[in-house]
Amino acid sequence: MVMILLLNVLVGVASDDHARFLLLYGVFQDALVNISQLFPELRGEMNGEKTYAADIESIRQAHARIDPYIHETPVLTSQTLDLLSGKSLFFKSECFQKGGAFKFRGACNAVFSLDDDCVGRGVLTHSSGNHAAALALAAKLRGIPAYIVIPNNAPKCKVENVVRHGGQVIWTEPSMEARELTAKRIQEETGAVLVHPYNDPFIISGQGTISLELLDQVPNIDTIIAPISGGGLISGVALAAKAINPCIQIIAAEPAGADDVAQSKASGQIITLSKVNTIADGLRASLGSLTWPVVRDLVDDVITVEDQEIVEAMGMCYEILKVAVEPSGAIGLAAVLSKKFQASPAFGVSQNIGIVLSGGNVDLGILWQSLHQSCSRT
Amino acid sequence: MVMILLLNVLVGVASDDHARFLLLYGVFQDALVNISQLFPELRGEMNGEKTYAADIESIRQAHARIDPYIHETPVLTSQTLDLLSGKSLFFKSECFQKGGAFKFRGACNAVFSLDDDCVGRGVLTHSSGNHAAALALAAKLRGIPAYIVIPNNAPKCKVENVVRHGGQVIWTEPSMEARELTAKRIQEETGAVLVHPYNDPFIISGQGTISLELLDQVPNIDTIIAPISGGGLISGVALAAKAINPCIQIIAAEPAGADDVAQSKASGQIITLSKVNTIADGLRASLGSLTWPVVRDLVDDVITVEDQEIVEAMGMCYEILKVAVEPSGAIGLAAVLSKKFQASPAFGVSQNIGIVLSGGNVDLGILWQSLHQSCSRT
């Protein structure tokens, strides 16, 4: 399979709903929970049946929409890692996605869903991570500006990715308040549409295209393990996979130092942490109002892993799989090799496990120092 | 495309010729040039027509033979690197091959060509590199012993690969004399068949399967760049590619500190260097009697690059392509980005360039230190 840009010409589908949601979300960002209450379909309940912010139909539409722009990423396998885990592992390698992470799928779907009335004003996000670079790249492809509010402690390589893709960087202090205030100011000045990194139906649908591809590439997958942070990735993955085969188990992998999802699942409501402590800079967000219902209902288990397990998994990805993955990207492998997974009810019924290597944007120096410290400790 | 072990059951083709060649080569290793003189077809001349140690037929047979065991490696692309080079680049990523390098193709072809009479005694090689691990792995798959004579200065990760694949390591001093003497002793004790890393028709045919796959994956390739050392890889690649499309240009990439091939091509005869100096530990060998005729006749140009260019290309592979490649693996990218390539007659007629990322077995510490030193110098 050649992983080149697919050249099928598909007509972009404009969406009034999306513009409405994004505009509302942009204007009343601080009051998101209230906004979603206006839309029963986004709250997870309608006519007595559970519905979510995305479904197999919206995910298939997303796939048709983004197909000309994304890479169909390869699935890697390794007998060494199969032996280590006792399972057949299939690594869906989103580190090879454009922009270096799965985030391009959702960003591309969001940007190409904007209708002609609002698209010219551009898009906006406040993010230190892969979503920012992905949004910049998607905006460049559509020929519109992307305003990226970035905290001044963001990893160098991620900022470089934003700049490389033509994003307009606006620096801010790292606190969430400062980020939101700056974003609000830029939005008022430009009229750009805010695209949230995960709490957005079009983002969730875009990320769900991973399951469509993976289950096409390896039809006998019985379990999918994906990292969880705000829940956009796993929501899309779960909605698509369970629609195709309801028996597929969905496992979230989460850093022990930012285990709000494990706590949320245990308590039955969204828990946010006042402080997180993990090397996985991509996994420090909290669940959103649109992702929580999916995570609550469709994620079968949450496996928490220590930072050292993440670092060891990064080393294995590098040395055995020969791929560069960032800490968030390696956490799925860390989870499948963990004792917690062996103790999970999911373990016994898992044989062919899809693992989402979610991204590869890591400063080599950080990888080396992390591994070095990890070796010194052991 | 799913890069999993293909399960097609194919009947292994035993070959008397191969056994004869390997046995003779094993017994009279020091006198290889004389041996090849016994076989006009291996000398590159027969009936007035040029023939070589392999051809499209033997390469197709090799592909059928090794197909159940090898990975069909993915082809990666990057718009960033396309912009940098001004060409469309297609990276045939043999770092994802079993054993972490293309060498498994040739080793697998050699091992599965052995006939029943001699196969039980196992195989033998003296190598510090990827051929050793590849031979160990191929031997394990066929259920026979692999004796690997390894110089005691070999990179740690390469030795670990040999051990991981079940090879029996025999340590020796690094000099070629010590390696050959030790190999001879082991051969006398065990009766194992010596498999040369490159000067072997079955090795050359195995490596040639890369071109079959690449031209199937990207049919409009007009140029292929591959690293050169002993010439086994590029001989197979050139023989297959030119048989399929005689217009395809074949470019060898060679370290400036081990430029025996550039010198050989310039002088019209095999030149061996008394001393080599390059970071690319996989590219320090000299041409063999079977590879030289192919390199002489079918390699259109040799691009030499400095070690610093190789290190920078390794960094780009890591940060942009998200793949781990060893110095030898990155040299093709270094060549395509070099001023020497821009000055080559091949440059103007190259547009769609296949680059063989030959292997990914690199100690992370070595990569980091190399990049760090490179950054300090610039």
Side-chain angles (χ1 to χ4, degrees):
Chain A
M1 197 255 350
V2 185
M3 204 183 74
I4 54 176
L5 182 66
L6 302 175
L7 294 170
N8 320 359
V9 177
L10 288 164
V11 180
V13 182
S15 161
D16 289 338
D17 280 351
H18 185 224
R20 181 185 61 163
F21 176 79
L22 289 177
L23 284 167
L24 279 169
Y25 180 65
V27 176
F28 303 111
Q29 187 196 355
D30 295 337
L32 176 65
V33 174
N34 294 330
I35 293 169
S36 77
Q37 284 168 354
L38 299 175
F39 304 99
E41 72 275 22
L42 302 185
R43 210 170 55 232
E45 297 153 58
M46 199 164 60
N47 304 329
E49 281 187 25
K50 281 183 181 167
T51 61
Y52 304 101
D55 58 24
I56 187 71
E57 201 47 48
S58 69
I59 294 168
R60 289 199 198 281
Q61 285 168 5
H63 204 222
R65 189 176 292 124
I66 69 180
D67 188 51
Y69 308 106
I70 60 169
H71 282 317
E72 183 185 331
T73 52
V75 173
L76 302 181
T77 62
S78 158
Q79 288 188 332
T80 304
L81 293 176
D82 285 358
L83 278 172
L84 262 178
S85 65
K87 306 287 181 185
S88 295
L89 307 182
F90 300 89
F91 294 91
K92 180 66 174 163
S93 302
E94 288 292 300
C95 44
F96 300 134
Q97 190 50 265
K98 291 205 173 187
F102 74 94
K103 292 280 189 179
F104 181 66
R105 293 174 184 267
C108 200
N109 191 40
V111 164
F112 281 89
S113 300
L114 290 171
D115 63 21
D116 294 341
D117 291 343
C118 64
V119 73
R121 296 194 294 274
V123 286
L124 162 73
T125 198
H126 58 86
S127 160
S128 59
N130 291 321
H131 173 65
L135 193 67
L137 182 54
K140 186 168 77 174
L141 288 173
R142 195 152 181 202
I144 60 173
Y147 306 97
I148 314 291
V149 176
I150 295 187
N152 51 25
N153 64 348
K156 181 169 155 263
C157 73
K158 295 199 173 176
V159 179
E160 283 173 354
N161 273 348
V162 169
V163 174
R164 182 190 296 151
H165 298 316
Q168 300 184 33
V169 173
I170 299 109
W171 294 102
T172 184
E173 293 298 312
S175 77
M176 189 49 79
E177 293 74 15
R179 289 163 64 160
E180 290 184 352
L181 272 175
T182 308
K184 204 166 180 177
R185 176 174 61 77
I186 299 297
Q187 192 180 34
E188 285 165 2
E189 289 171 14
T190 62
V193 176
L194 190 118
V195 182
H196 192 275
Y198 53 87
N199 212 47
D200 175 319
F202 288 78
I203 294 289
I204 294 170
S205 293
Q207 322 304 31
T209 60
I210 290 173
S211 285
L212 299 186
E213 280 181 22
L214 176 60
L215 294 174
D216 187 49
Q217 291 165 310
V218 193
N220 62 343
I221 290 277
D222 53 49
T223 304
I224 301 177
I225 302 187
I228 196 161
S229 181
L233 168 62
I234 211 161
S235 292
V237 163
L239 286 163
K242 298 244 184 197
I244 292 169
N245 177 0
C247 296
I248 291 176
Q249 299 182 104
I250 305 294
I251 311 287
E254 185 174 45
D259 67 342
D260 57 292
V261 177
Q263 291 189 37
S264 300
K265 290 275 284 181
S267 66
Q269 59 183 334
I270 297 181
I271 302 286
T272 54
L273 304 176
S274 56
K275 199 177 158 191
V276 295
N277 179 20
T278 174
I279 188 179
D281 59 284
L283 302 181
R284 293 170 186 158
S286 303
L287 291 166
S289 55
L290 305 185
T291 54
W292 163 242
V294 187
V295 171
R296 178 192 62 205
D297 299 343
L298 302 186
V299 169
D300 296 286
D301 203 356
V302 182
I303 306 291
T304 57
V305 294
E306 301 296 330
D307 273 11
Q308 184 163 349
E309 292 172 276
I310 296 174
V311 169
E312 285 165 6
M314 283 173 79
M316 287 183 199
C317 286
Y318 183 87
E319 293 190 346
I320 300 173
L321 284 182
K322 314 295 177 192
V323 292
V325 295
E326 57 194 276
S328 326
I331 196 171
L333 175 59
V336 86
L337 296 176
S338 71
K339 290 200 173 129
K340 286 203 180 131
F341 180 56
Q342 290 167 23
S344 157
F347 184 79
V349 285
S350 298
Q351 186 48 48
N352 298 308
I353 304 179
I355 295 179
V356 182
L357 296 180
S358 55
N361 295 321
V362 57
D363 285 328
L364 187 58
I366 290 176
L367 169 61
W368 169 242
Q369 282 156 25
S370 307
L371 282 169
H372 194 67
Q373 283 163 11
S374 170
C375 291
S376 310
R377 278 204 299 273
T378 52
Chain B
M1 195 250 358
V2 185
M3 205 184 72
I4 54 177
L5 183 65
L6 302 174
L7 294 170
N8 320 359
V9 177
L10 288 165
V11 180
V13 182
S15 160
D16 288 337
D17 279 350
H18 185 222
R20 182 186 61 163
F21 176 79
L22 290 177
L23 283 167
L24 278 169
Y25 180 64
V27 174
F28 303 111
Q29 187 195 355
D30 295 337
L32 176 64
V33 175
N34 294 330
I35 292 169
S36 77
Q37 285 168 353
L38 300 175
F39 304 99
E41 73 274 21
L42 302 185
R43 208 168 58 232
E45 297 153 60
M46 200 164 60
N47 303 329
E49 281 186 25
K50 281 183 180 165
T51 61
Y52 304 101
D55 58 22
I56 187 72
E57 201 47 49
S58 70
I59 294 167
R60 289 200 197 281
Q61 286 168 4
H63 204 222
R65 189 177 291 126
I66 68 180
D67 188 52
Y69 308 106
I70 60 169
H71 283 316
E72 183 185 331
T73 52
V75 173
L76 302 181
T77 62
S78 157
Q79 287 188 331
T80 304
L81 294 176
D82 285 358
L83 277 173
L84 263 178
S85 65
K87 306 288 181 184
S88 296
L89 307 181
F90 300 89
F91 294 91
K92 180 65 175 161
S93 302
E94 288 293 298
C95 45
F96 301 134
Q97 190 48 266
K98 291 205 173 186
F102 74 94
K103 293 280 190 178
F104 182 65
R105 294 175 184 266
C108 201
N109 191 41
V111 164
F112 281 88
S113 299
L114 290 171
D115 64 19
D116 293 341
D117 291 342
C118 64
V119 72
R121 296 193 294 274
V123 285
L124 162 73
T125 198
H126 59 86
S127 160
S128 59
N130 290 322
H131 173 66
L135 192 66
L137 181 55
K140 186 167 79 175
L141 288 173
R142 192 148 184 205
I144 61 173
Y147 306 97
I148 314 290
V149 176
I150 294 187
N152 50 24
N153 64 348
K156 182 168 155 264
C157 73
K158 295 198 173 176
V159 180
E160 283 173 355
N161 273 349
V162 169
V163 174
R164 182 190 295 151
H165 299 314
Q168 300 184 33
V169 173
I170 299 109
W171 294 103
T172 184
E173 293 297 313
S175 76
M176 190 49 78
E177 293 74 15
R179 289 162 65 161
E180 289 186 353
L181 272 175
T182 307
K184 204 167 180 178
R185 175 174 61 77
I186 298 297
Q187 192 181 34
E188 284 166 3
E189 289 171 15
T190 62
V193 177
L194 190 117
V195 182
H196 193 273
Y198 53 88
N199 212 46
D200 175 320
F202 288 78
I203 293 290
I204 294 170
S205 294
Q207 322 306 29
T209 61
I210 290 173
S211 284
L212 299 186
E213 280 181 21
L214 176 61
L215 294 174
D216 187 50
Q217 291 165 312
V218 193
N220 63 342
I221 290 276
D222 53 49
T223 303
I224 301 177
I225 301 186
I228 195 160
S229 182
L233 168 62
I234 210 160
S235 293
V237 162
L239 286 163
K242 298 244 184 195
I244 293 168
N245 177 0
C247 296
I248 291 176
Q249 298 182 104
I250 305 294
I251 311 286
E254 183 174 46
D259 67 343
D260 57 292
V261 177
Q263 292 189 35
S264 300
K265 289 276 284 180
S267 66
Q269 59 183 335
I270 298 182
I271 302 286
T272 54
L273 304 175
S274 56
K275 199 176 159 192
V276 295
N277 178 22
T278 174
I279 188 180
D281 58 284
L283 302 181
R284 294 171 186 157
S286 304
L287 291 165
S289 56
L290 305 185
T291 55
W292 163 241
V294 188
V295 171
R296 179 192 62 205
D297 299 343
L298 302 185
V299 170
D300 296 286
D301 203 356
V302 183
I303 306 291
T304 57
V305 294
E306 301 297 330
D307 274 11
Q308 183 161 350
E309 294 172 275
I310 296 175
V311 169
E312 285 165 7
M314 283 173 79
M316 287 182 199
C317 287
Y318 182 88
E319 294 191 345
I320 300 174
L321 284 181
K322 313 297 178 191
V323 292
V325 294
E326 57 193 276
S328 326
I331 196 170
L333 175 59
V336 87
L337 296 176
S338 71
K339 289 199 176 130
K340 286 202 181 131
F341 180 56
Q342 290 167 22
S344 158
F347 183 79
V349 285
S350 298
Q351 187 48 48
N352 298 307
I353 304 179
I355 295 179
V356 182
L357 296 180
S358 56
N361 295 321
V362 57
D363 284 328
L364 188 57
I366 290 175
L367 169 60
W368 169 242
Q369 283 156 23
S370 306
L371 282 169
H372 194 66
Q373 283 161 10
S374 169
C375 291
S376 310
R377 277 204 300 272
T378 53

